[in-house]
Each structure stands twice: as C-alpha cells, then as structure tokens.
Amino acid sequence: MVEPLSTDMIEKAKRGDPRAIEELVARFQKPLFYYAVHYTGNPSEAEDITQEVLFKIIRALPSFKGQASISTWMYRIMTNACIDFKRKKVLSKTVSFNSGMDEEAFVYDPADTQPLPDEQYEKLELHDWLRRALQQLSPEHRTTIILHDLHGFKYQEIAEITGSSLGTVKSRLFYARQMLRKILEPSINRGDF
Amino acid sequence: MFCPKLLDLQSYLDGELSPRHQRAIEKHLKQCSHCRAQVDLWHNSVQLMQRLIPPVEVPRVPSIAKRWAYSGQKRVIAAVAVLIISVGLSAFWMFNGLNYQENSQDPRETELMNEYLILHMEESRTHGGSNV
C-alpha cells in the first residue's frame, strides 16, 4: 500500500504546484506501474499505460473532490485505462485476424480460462508462469485479485475502485483464487515451487 | 458442527470480519480440520503469488515530468497561434470589408458619376476659356 499523501500536499497538487505534483508522481508511479505490469503482463505496455495515466491524473487533479482517497481515485483511473488498453488490443487483433493478415492474431484471449498444457509449464520461468496464469483470469477477477493480494487494498476500497458492490468483490476474489489455484495446482503438486 | 460459509472463511483470512466474528471463526477452526485446510490452502496460494511477483525495473520519473512540461509549452504555443490567427482574420475581414464597400457601388451610378464629371470638366473648361 502507498503511504497516504497529506491533504495540504493534495491541495497544492490540485492548484498545479509543480513540487506537489512531482511528489505525487514519485509516490504513485511505482505502484501504478506494477499494477499495470500485473494486469497486462507486459512491462513495455505497462510503461506506456502508466505514462498516459499519470498524465491523465495530473490533468484531472483539479476535478478531484476528495470523496474517495487519492489512492483509490488514481487506481480507478489506472484500472479503467488497463481495461481499455486490453480491449482495444483484443479488438485490433481480432480485426487483423478476420482480415487474414496475421496468423498469431487469435493467440491471445483473456477470456480463455483453459489451463496451460503441462509440458509448457516446464519451459516457463516461474515469474513468467504466474504472469500467464493471471492473464487467464477475466479482467474483473484479475483486477480484484491483483488489487487485494498484491497491492493490499481492502474489500471496500476495491469496491470503490471497480465500481462494484462489496458482495461482488468478495465473490470475485473467491473465484479468482479458486481459478488461480486450479491453474497453479499441477506445478504445486509437482513441487515446482 | 456447522461450518461457516466459504466467503466468511475468506473474509477471516483477509482480516475483514468484525472482532467478534473473527474470534468465532478462530474457535471453529480449532475444531474443524476441513475448514482449517481450506484457509491454509488460500493462505499458501496468496503467499505463493506474492513470492512470484515478477521483478521489473520502474521507468524513471523525468520522462513524465518532461511530457508535462512539453504539454505546458504546447498550450502556450496554441494560445499564441490562436491570437495570431484571430488578428490575421480580423485584418483580412476589415480589409475585405472596405474593398467591398468600395466595390459595392452600383455600376450604373458610377457610370453616371463619370459622365457627370466629364460634363462638369468640359463645362468648366468652356467657361474657363471664355474667362481668359
């Protein structure tokens, strides 16, 4: 979890104080970047998204009303940006697949929850393996499990970030853990970890 | 023995229950190996996931600061461009407006005016001649 910023600092950043903005960017850039990496599974894409999002956040700062915490507000912008990015990527790949130009266009499918074949696990590094496992979850389940288990948000905060009810957050987290466990199971049983 | 709902067990693991509810589940876990196994399984999965976070280098801040500064410059350039275009357009309209006013006279009227001027000049020449 990111240390909260003081109200004074947030007010200064809202008024466009360069030092306050710099402090805000320095404080949130790392966690937001990691969140994008966990979501997209691709550091280079995550870097682009983080830059866009930080830029968007700085521009939108004057409109931040303080109803939610600044951290929740920023993660909401980042979550929407990640979902949009993936959606556009899938759409563009589907279009290129339909046009018959790109044979690999249909390889990636975030909705595909089928586990990877056993022989593929052995070839993958453990980090890469988790990255691929996360990519097999739906955007909603992925967002929830990343925010909770990797970024330490509470249920209520996740509900605010994702615009869902508390009950939905609980059940999404439950199913995400179950699914991830299912994907991880063969390797756990083989003693890979 | 009644086991708690799975979602409550999960909330217990995540520390999201009220202290009273938390204590009740703790008490249950001491007696129920099935629920304890479930909580342990989740706990291990979460730990495993946290252990497997990929190490990546975070991009440097200056790139974002530069972009923000560049966007400020862009705003100034855009404002100056708008000002220049507005002044240019105003000047163009003013100039054209004057020309329009000059050109907007009826050709027949101009012709009559020219005829009048010619007559007037001839007359004044005639009268001027007689005066000399």
Side-chain angles (χ1 to χ4, degrees):
Chain A
M1 277 292 277
V2 189
E3 250 183 71
L5 275 178
S6 70
T7 322
D8 181 46
M9 187 66 86
I10 295 169
E11 281 307 314
K12 277 183 184 169
K14 280 176 74 174
R15 286 198 299 270
D17 180 336
R19 278 190 182 179
I21 291 176
E22 213 177 296
E23 170 74 28
L24 186 105
V25 169
R27 190 82 66 94
F28 283 94
Q29 189 192 19
K30 195 174 168 181
L32 286 176
F33 171 69
Y34 277 135
Y35 178 51
V37 171
H38 298 144
Y39 189 92
T40 60
N42 182 325
S44 139
E45 284 176 359
E47 188 177 342
D48 289 346
I49 298 172
T50 310
Q51 292 225 3
E52 284 299 323
V53 164
L54 284 172
F55 203 57
K56 206 183 260 185
I57 283 170
I58 296 169
R59 272 186 303 187
L61 262 175
S63 67
F64 172 65
K65 292 186 177 68
Q67 285 158 341
S69 73
I70 189 105
S71 159
T72 304
W73 180 72
M74 287 166 102
Y75 269 83
R76 185 161 58 220
I77 296 175
M78 183 48 117
T79 300
N80 291 338
C82 285
I83 292 171
D84 277 356
F85 180 84
K86 279 290 182 190
R87 193 181 295 146
K88 278 178 196 161
K89 197 176 169 186
V90 171
L91 272 177
S92 68
K93 286 198 169 189
T94 311
V95 168
S96 59
F97 174 77
N98 289 342
S99 62
M101 296 296 286
D102 183 3
E103 278 298 311
E104 286 179 348
F106 219 60
V107 171
Y108 172 75
D109 182 7
D112 180 13
T113 53
Q114 290 298 306
L116 296 169
D118 278 359
E119 64 271 18
Q120 278 190 24
Y121 287 133
E122 289 162 13
K123 294 175 191 167
L124 296 170
E125 290 290 323
L126 293 184
H127 299 303
D128 196 38
W129 186 81
L130 176 73
R131 179 183 65 80
R132 293 196 62 168
L134 278 172
Q135 294 304 307
Q136 290 183 58
L137 302 180
S138 75
E140 293 80 12
H141 290 108
R142 202 186 322 157
T143 304
T144 310
I145 200 166
I146 291 172
L147 285 172
H148 191 278
D149 290 353
L150 298 181
H151 290 254
F153 282 98
K154 304 299 275 181
Y155 292 171
Q156 184 57 45
E157 291 169 319
I158 299 171
E160 284 168 17
I161 292 170
T162 57
S164 338
S165 70
L166 209 57
T168 306
V169 171
K170 282 182 197 175
S171 63
R172 275 181 188 163
L173 187 60
F174 176 79
Y175 283 109
R177 280 171 171 168
Q178 294 287 97
M179 280 189 270
L180 210 59
R181 181 81 207 174
K182 215 173 180 180
I183 300 166
L184 296 170
E185 205 122 56
S187 280
I188 293 169
N189 292 343
R190 264 204 316 269
D192 287 354
F193 302 118
Chain B
M1 183 165 51
F2 290 105
C3 291
K5 290 177 188 167
L6 284 172
L7 286 183
D8 285 343
L9 275 182
Q10 177 182 253
S11 298
Y12 163 80
L13 175 75
D14 296 332
E16 293 269 359
L17 294 176
S18 66
R20 201 176 132 256
H21 206 165
Q22 194 87 3
R23 275 196 302 273
I25 292 193
E26 234 160 59
K27 199 176 162 190
H28 172 81
L29 288 176
K30 279 179 186 161
Q31 301 159 346
C32 178
S33 59
H34 177 75
C35 288
R36 211 167 46 237
Q38 180 62 65
V39 170
D40 284 348
L41 195 70
W42 283 332
H43 180 69
N44 292 341
S45 297
V46 172
Q47 278 197 326
L48 180 67
M49 200 173 144
Q50 286 167 347
R51 199 154 53 87
L52 290 181
I53 298 175
V56 273
E57 208 179 306
V58 182
R60 287 180 302 152
V61 177
S63 56
I64 291 154
K66 263 186 206 167
R67 275 195 67 182
W68 180 242
Y70 177 60
S71 88
Q73 282 173 1
K74 272 203 302 192
R75 278 202 294 270
V76 172
I77 292 166
V80 171
V82 167
L83 192 70
I84 291 170
I85 291 168
S86 323
V87 170
L89 282 176
S90 310
F92 177 75
W93 280 326
M94 272 175 67
F95 178 73
N96 266 2
L98 287 174
N99 274 354
Y100 175 76
Q101 274 179 358
E102 276 175 15
N103 297 333
S104 64
Q105 260 181 331
D106 188 348
R108 280 167 61 193
E109 207 175 298
T110 315
E111 208 176 309
L112 278 170
M113 184 66 85
N114 286 342
E115 275 175 26
Y116 169 79
L117 282 171
I118 290 164
L119 280 172
H120 180 73
M121 279 170 72
E122 279 176 359
E123 205 175 308
S124 59
R125 209 181 299 149
T126 320
H127 286 290
S130 59
N131 285 343
V132 171

